[in-house]
Amino acid sequence: MSNKLKQIIEDKKEFLNLIKKKSSLDFLEKKIKDLNFFYNFKEAIENNKKVSLISEIKKASPSAGILVKNFNHLDIAKIFIENGSTCLSVLTEEKHFLGKLDYITDIKNKFKIPVLAKDFFIDPYQIALSKSYGSDCILLIIAALNGKQADEIYDEAVKKDLSVIIEVHDKKEAEIALKYKDALIGINNRNLKTLEVSINNTISIFEVLKSHQNPVISESGIKNENDVKYIYEKTGIKNFLVGESLLTSDNTAELIKKIIQISQ
């Protein structure tokens, strides 16, 4: 685990200690029952015949700093959805990515689209917490968890009818991910030790994941339709999580359209 990831996890533990005092599981369960805007994230990707684009909404990242100065999550979501994004990923980690769980509720109140709560899940409590704000999918980062933690959080997510993306960074983690047969698997192109990004990471790790029966997603470092085409032609993967390139593009709408037309 990189020093940055360790710091984020430690900060997440502190955050959860505080929020557990304010919001009991019973309170969260009641909140969930009052919501009526849940969608099947995995099915949306499986049923899509084109490239499935999971467009990411985030204000900042530790590596890039502030990405969007005049940040408005609803305006960004509108552009992503109107131009053909299959699902959204919303950064909800507050300290390092300046995210908020409230962003998911705001988006789900206005748009009918599956949403991934992009965060650092280290405690089963976070499943009810994220769902109480409207999330349809959660992310499990193998590098941030031991096997028992991952199993507990995964099982809780399945019980709560949430889709799960198991995120891997290398072949060893990919082998571990294969045991989560009903999950989506995300290959992160960022090296956690050096923080360097290479889309060839998807191509080399995919060799381990060819037998996986559910969608595989390429994440991070995808700049344009040429990167998408390269990965698609080398692996057949047609599911991509793209954030910074869309958020910083001079013509986000056009870039989305070019990406989702690759497999046609």
Side-chain angles (χ1 to χ4, degrees):
M1 196 187 299
S2 70
N3 288 337
K4 190 64 185 177
L5 184 55
K6 280 182 183 175
Q7 185 59 58
I8 291 171
I9 297 302
E10 286 306 309
D11 290 338
K12 179 57 62 175
K13 287 176 183 174
E14 284 185 25
F15 171 81
L16 288 173
N17 286 337
L18 290 173
I19 204 161
K20 282 179 179 180
K21 292 173 184 174
K22 298 177 185 175
S23 302
S24 68
L25 276 173
D26 284 345
F27 170 76
L28 297 179
E29 294 292 352
K30 286 172 186 170
K31 256 186 91 178
I32 291 168
K33 284 179 182 175
D34 289 336
L35 301 180
N36 62 352
F37 49 36
F38 294 110
Y39 310 106
N40 193 314
F41 188 99
K42 185 169 80 168
E43 276 188 7
I45 290 174
E46 287 175 325
N47 295 339
N48 187 24
K49 304 304 180 190
K50 300 178 183 178
V51 164
S52 289
L53 180 62
I54 305 164
S55 299
E56 187 156 273
I57 296 173
K58 62 181 173 183
K59 184 175 182 179
S61 76
S63 57
I66 298 290
L67 292 164
V68 184
K69 286 183 181 176
N70 299 314
F71 181 82
N72 184 306
H73 54 293
L74 290 173
D75 289 346
I76 295 168
K78 186 171 187 284
I79 293 169
F80 287 170
I81 293 163
E82 286 182 347
N83 290 285
S85 298
T86 309
C87 301
L88 300 181
S89 168
V90 177
L91 253 295
T92 60
E93 194 281 331
E94 299 204 358
K95 184 171 182 180
H96 299 270
F97 291 84
L98 307 183
K100 289 181 182 178
L101 279 161
D102 289 316
Y103 292 158
I104 295 180
T105 311
D106 293 345
I107 289 166
K108 297 294 284 289
N109 275 325
K110 193 163 184 181
F111 304 104
K112 293 180 178 180
I113 191 167
V115 176
L116 162 70
K118 187 83 174 290
D119 210 320
F120 297 81
F121 283 79
I122 57 171
D123 186 322
Y125 171 86
Q126 289 170 275
I127 300 302
L129 178 65
S130 65
K131 184 157 185 174
S132 75
Y133 283 85
S135 68
D136 304 292
C137 182
I138 62 109
L139 183 81
L140 287 186
I141 303 171
I142 291 292
L145 302 162
N146 64 42
K148 185 182 176 186
Q149 285 176 313
D151 289 349
E152 287 178 351
I153 299 169
Y154 177 80
D155 289 344
E156 187 62 26
V158 171
K159 281 182 200 169
K160 288 279 193 298
D161 293 321
L162 290 174
S163 299
V164 180
I165 298 174
I166 307 289
E167 183 174 284
V168 303
H169 297 80
D170 57 36
K171 289 183 177 180
K172 185 178 177 183
E173 291 175 6
E175 287 167 3
I176 294 168
L178 284 171
K179 76 174 182 174
Y180 301 101
K181 297 186 186 303
D182 293 327
L184 304 97
I185 297 179
I187 303 173
N188 195 317
N189 293 311
R190 188 180 300 280
N191 183 312
L192 281 183
K193 292 175 182 172
T194 65
L195 296 183
E196 291 176 358
V197 176
S198 169
I199 58 173
N200 283 308
N201 208 38
T202 288
I203 290 147
S204 83
I205 292 175
F206 183 68
E207 291 298 312
V208 178
L209 298 174
K210 281 181 176 177
S211 64
H212 188 61
Q213 297 300 303
N214 279 291
V216 175
I217 303 161
S218 181
E219 309 171 3
S220 294
I222 297 161
K223 296 183 177 65
N224 50 44
E225 70 275 14
N226 295 327
D227 287 349
V228 168
K229 187 176 182 183
Y230 176 75
I231 293 168
Y232 175 70
E233 289 178 348
K234 294 281 186 182
T235 64
I237 291 173
K238 66 180 192 70
N239 313 302
F240 300 88
L241 192 153
V242 184
E244 293 181 17
S245 302
L246 297 180
L247 292 165
T248 58
S249 173
D250 291 334
N251 194 335
T252 301
E254 187 66 21
L255 180 54
I256 292 172
K257 288 172 184 172
K258 284 180 179 177
I259 286 173
I260 63 178
Q261 289 170 356
I262 288 300
S263 64
Q264 289 181 304

